[in-house]
């Protein structure tokens, strides 16, 4: 256990950082989150991990020290799709709570823990408040290691999309990472910032080193059922539905990269193909393309999805989305064997005339549109999971048929904390409501929200594996064979 890196996850959300840790050979010890559904997911998938609750009530000096603290602090106030309230906005200001915890832990451990921090956020942070918000982020991180240090403002061109800051025994590196270049079919650009408070190697962690290939195979052997504690390195995995874990060995997201596009080229039998799905990207409702008089501008056939949001890539959202379209074979044509896909122009007309069909949950719910027998639907929750690089079973099997009294009391506290912080209800949940929710906690809406707020797993693995490789390289230098 002495050589195993440990991790704590603040604003844990979908559990992407702890799962990425497991894949990278890192032991996730604890997490902080207030949303009940993501907590239910991670308590099922990573049952050994302790949940600390509201970040405001966490003392970094009192919780278990870890080597790495990750935090994708809420980005609503810095996103170009939001109101741009900046780092001082109600959500984004929580960044400073994470910094407080890091500093408290480092003070209590005499600067030993955490050695690393990883911060993830939207690229809008670069331009928020004319660049001053990102300067504040860098300053807060740098001053954790060197309190008197100052970060200069960027030049007129703004912040570079990648850079390294070096100090006396510490380093900070950041860059913009796009998930589509890591094996998933989604355009999701995010800033990843890594601070190494113990050396000047942050740049080696975040930027590809010569001769080093990043392999995202899990750090622990895969199994198919319940998880065991990661300290048992001989046979550990996270818990998925039966059969799902067999897909985790190696590049589990690579096999899902084409999930939005299917064709019937391998079909050797003369049968009618009911649906030939094609993915279409849709510009945001307020974009120039959607306002254009040219009906083709706002819609395009896509092999890469637009960034998914809390509504699961719903094409009617403010940043656009993705829709899956299929054309049925004509039912009265006995000779039909293949259904030809619609053109972009066809799709534009269908979407503009039949916009309610974009809310369809699946083929079984999607209406047949027009004489061409087109069906249009938005992404399913499983497709959203795959676009984030997660295995299919991550949000399945969450129910607890007969919860204990201790479990009920614990979840009442979770819901009360969430109610108090969010302020969206005047009444606490009753015991009966808690028991009912624990039996069937899943909903499509909850999973859509989880993925919209989550991280792309392959990008997380890239960063965490970089930390592992850097530590291994340092140990090799200290103890040459």
């Amino acid at each position: 256990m002495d050589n195993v890196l440990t991790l704590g996850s603040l604003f844990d959300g979908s559990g992407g950082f702890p799962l990425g840790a497991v894949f990278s050979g890192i032991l996730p010890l604890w997490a902080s989150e207030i949303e009940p559904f993501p907590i239910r997911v991670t308590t099922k998938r990573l049952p050994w991990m302790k949940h600390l609750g509201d970040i405001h009530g966490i003392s970094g000096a009192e919780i278990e020290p870890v080597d790495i603290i990750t935090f994708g602090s809420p980005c609503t106030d810095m996103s170009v799709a939001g109101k741009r309230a900046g780092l001082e906005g109600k959500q984004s200001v929580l960044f400073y709570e994470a910094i407080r915890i890091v500093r408290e832990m480092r003070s209590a451990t005499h600067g030993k823990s955490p050695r690393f921090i990883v911060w993830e956020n939207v690229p809008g942070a670069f331009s928020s408040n004319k660049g001053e918000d990102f300067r504040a982020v860098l300053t807060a991180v740098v001053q954790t290691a060197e309190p008197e240090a100052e970060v200069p403002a960027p030049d007129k061109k703004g912040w570079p999309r990648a850079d390294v800051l070096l100090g006396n025994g510490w380093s900070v590196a950041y860059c913009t990472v796009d998930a589509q270049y890591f094996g998933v079919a989604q355009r999701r650009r995010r800033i990843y910032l890594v601070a190494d408070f113990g050396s000047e190697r942050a740049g080696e962690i975040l930027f590809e080193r010569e001769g080093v290939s990043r392999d995202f195979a899990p750090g622990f052997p895969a199994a198919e059922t319940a998880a065991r504690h990661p300290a048992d390195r001989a046979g550990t995995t996270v818990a998925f539905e039966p059969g799902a874990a067999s897909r985790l060995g190696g590049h589990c997201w690579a096999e899902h990269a084409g999930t939005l596009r299917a064709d019937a080229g391998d079909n050797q039998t003369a049968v009618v193909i009911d649906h030939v799905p094609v993915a279409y990207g849709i510009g945001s409702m307020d974009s120039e393309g959607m306002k254009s008089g040219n009906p083709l501008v706002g819609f395009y056939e896509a092999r890469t999805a637009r960034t998914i949001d809390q509504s699961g890539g719903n094409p009617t959202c403010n940043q656009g989305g993705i829709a899956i379209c299929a054309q049925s074979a004509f039912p009265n044509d006995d000779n039909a064997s293949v259904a030809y896909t619609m053109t972009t122009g066809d799709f534009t007309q269908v979407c503009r005339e039949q916009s309610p069909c974009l809310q369809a949950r699946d083929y079984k719910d999607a209406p047949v549109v027009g004489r061409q027998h087109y069906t249009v639907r938005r992404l399913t929750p499983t497709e959203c999971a795959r676009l984030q690089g997660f295995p299919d079973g991550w949000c399945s099997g969450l129910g607890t048929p007969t919860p204990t009294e201790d479990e009920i009391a614990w979840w009442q506290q979770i819901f009360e904390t969430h109610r108090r912080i969010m302020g969206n209800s005047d009444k606490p949940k009753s015991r009966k409501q808690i028991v009912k929710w624990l039996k069937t906690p899943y909903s499509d809406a909850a999973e859509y929200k989880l993925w919209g707020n989550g991280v792309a797993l392959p990008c997380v693995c890239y960063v965490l594996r970089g930390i592992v490789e850097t530590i291994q390289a340092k140990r090799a230098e200290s103890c040459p064979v």
Side-chain angles (χ1 to χ4, degrees):
M1 287 292 292
D2 292 341
N3 292 328
V4 177
L5 294 174
T6 55
L7 177 141
S9 173
L10 302 173
F11 315 107
D12 187 52
S14 61
F17 278 106
L19 180 58
V22 172
F23 279 10
S24 303
I26 301 169
L27 172 59
L29 294 181
W30 49 257
S32 170
E33 175 58 54
I34 65 167
E35 287 276 350
F37 182 73
I39 295 173
R40 173 75 289 185
V41 172
T42 49
T43 53
K44 285 287 188 177
R45 299 283 89 87
L46 306 167
W48 67 82
M49 194 169 62
K50 185 176 181 179
H51 285 263
L52 305 180
D54 178 14
I55 192 172
H56 294 92
I58 298 174
S59 169
E62 297 176 0
I63 59 178
E64 186 171 4
V66 291
D67 298 304
I68 307 164
I69 291 182
T70 62
F71 53 108
S73 51
C75 61
T76 308
D77 299 313
M78 292 194 285
S79 171
V80 294
K83 296 181 179 180
R84 303 305 297 274
L87 195 58
E88 298 301 324
K90 183 178 179 181
Q91 298 296 317
S92 295
V93 74
L94 293 174
F95 165 82
Y96 289 113
E97 289 295 313
I99 292 295
R100 171 187 61 81
I101 291 171
V102 170
R103 291 177 177 177
E104 289 172 347
M105 182 178 292
R106 286 184 58 79
S107 177
T109 60
H110 307 288
K112 180 181 178 181
S113 299
R115 160 77 182 271
F116 305 96
I117 64 172
V118 179
W119 179 71
E120 181 261 4
N121 218 281
V122 294
F126 285 135
S127 59
S128 178
N129 193 19
K130 298 181 180 180
E132 283 301 308
D133 284 339
F134 191 65
R135 182 185 181 187
V137 167
L138 291 175
T139 299
V141 172
V142 166
Q143 290 183 349
T144 300
E146 191 172 327
E148 302 302 320
E150 291 292 338
V151 176
D155 59 26
K156 294 182 179 180
K157 295 181 180 179
W159 291 102
R161 292 305 184 255
D163 205 355
V164 179
L165 288 74
L166 299 176
N168 184 19
W170 59 264
S171 53
V172 175
Y174 70 86
C175 70
T176 305
V177 177
D178 193 335
Q180 69 174 311
Y181 301 116
F182 289 79
V184 293
Q186 180 192 182
R187 291 180 294 171
R188 193 178 190 88
R189 296 174 66 247
R190 291 293 184 267
I191 300 170
Y192 277 84
L193 180 151
V194 174
D196 180 353
F197 297 127
S199 79
E200 300 177 8
R201 296 192 171 198
E204 296 179 23
I205 293 169
L206 201 53
F207 306 120
E208 190 79 18
R209 299 195 307 277
E210 184 177 356
V212 175
S213 175
R214 294 279 163 86
D215 177 13
F216 301 129
F220 303 108
E224 290 196 355
T225 53
R228 293 189 291 274
H229 195 282
D232 179 14
R233 297 283 299 267
T236 304
T237 186
V238 290
F240 302 104
E241 64 184 0
S246 63
R247 297 192 292 272
L248 296 182
H251 305 264
C252 66
W253 33 83
E255 72 176 72
H256 299 319
T259 195
L260 299 181
R261 183 68 183 269
D263 59 68
D266 296 329
N267 188 353
Q268 302 298 319
T269 58
V271 297
V272 173
I273 300 171
D274 292 330
H275 300 285
V276 180
V278 179
Y280 283 85
I282 302 173
S284 64
M285 297 180 67
D286 294 327
S287 67
E288 294 301 319
M290 294 301 285
K291 295 177 181 178
S292 169
N294 182 348
L296 303 182
V297 174
F299 302 89
Y300 56 92
E301 186 174 341
R303 300 189 67 87
T304 304
R306 299 176 72 90
T307 301
I308 61 171
D309 61 12
Q310 295 183 23
S311 58
N314 185 347
T316 62
C317 74
N318 66 349
Q319 63 183 31
I322 199 83
I324 311 301
C325 185
Q327 180 185 38
S328 300
F330 290 96
N332 296 326
D333 186 353
D334 294 334
N335 296 320
S337 60
V338 175
Y340 296 99
T341 55
M342 56 169 36
T343 66
T344 303
D346 294 333
F347 180 74
T348 303
Q349 181 179 356
V350 168
C351 285
R352 289 185 171 172
E353 293 179 357
Q354 303 288 338
S355 58
C357 72
L358 294 175
Q359 301 293 333
R361 166 65 176 80
D362 209 338
Y363 286 125
K364 60 185 176 60
D365 300 319
V368 174
V369 182
R371 292 184 303 163
Q372 293 82 13
H373 302 282
Y374 293 134
T375 58
V376 181
R377 62 176 177 84
R378 65 169 173 167
L379 297 173
T380 66
T382 296
E383 287 168 336
C384 290
R386 292 172 176 176
L387 288 177
Q388 293 285 52
F390 279 71
D392 290 357
W394 192 243
C395 291
S396 64
L398 303 179
T400 303
T402 55
T404 66
E405 289 301 320
D406 286 345
E407 287 177 308
I408 295 170
W410 191 77
W411 281 103
Q412 281 182 314
Q413 185 178 13
I414 295 293
F415 273 97
E416 179 57 19
T417 298
H418 183 258
R419 184 189 72 85
R420 173 177 54 81
I421 293 175
M422 302 306 294
N424 52 12
S425 175
D426 295 330
K427 295 177 61 178
K429 283 193 178 293
S430 67
R431 181 185 185 281
K432 183 178 181 181
Q433 288 174 316
I434 296 293
V435 172
K436 181 179 179 181
W437 183 83
L438 285 173
K439 290 181 179 178
T440 55
Y442 178 83
S443 71
D444 282 357
E447 186 172 358
Y448 279 134
K449 185 176 182 180
L450 177 138
W451 297 128
N453 286 334
V455 292
L457 184 59
C459 299
V460 169
C461 289
Y462 173 84
V463 175
L464 295 182
R465 187 60 61 88
I467 292 177
V468 172
E469 291 171 355
T470 299
I471 291 294
Q472 290 173 342
K474 180 64 176 179
R475 289 172 180 165
E477 292 174 3
S478 302
C479 304
V481 177

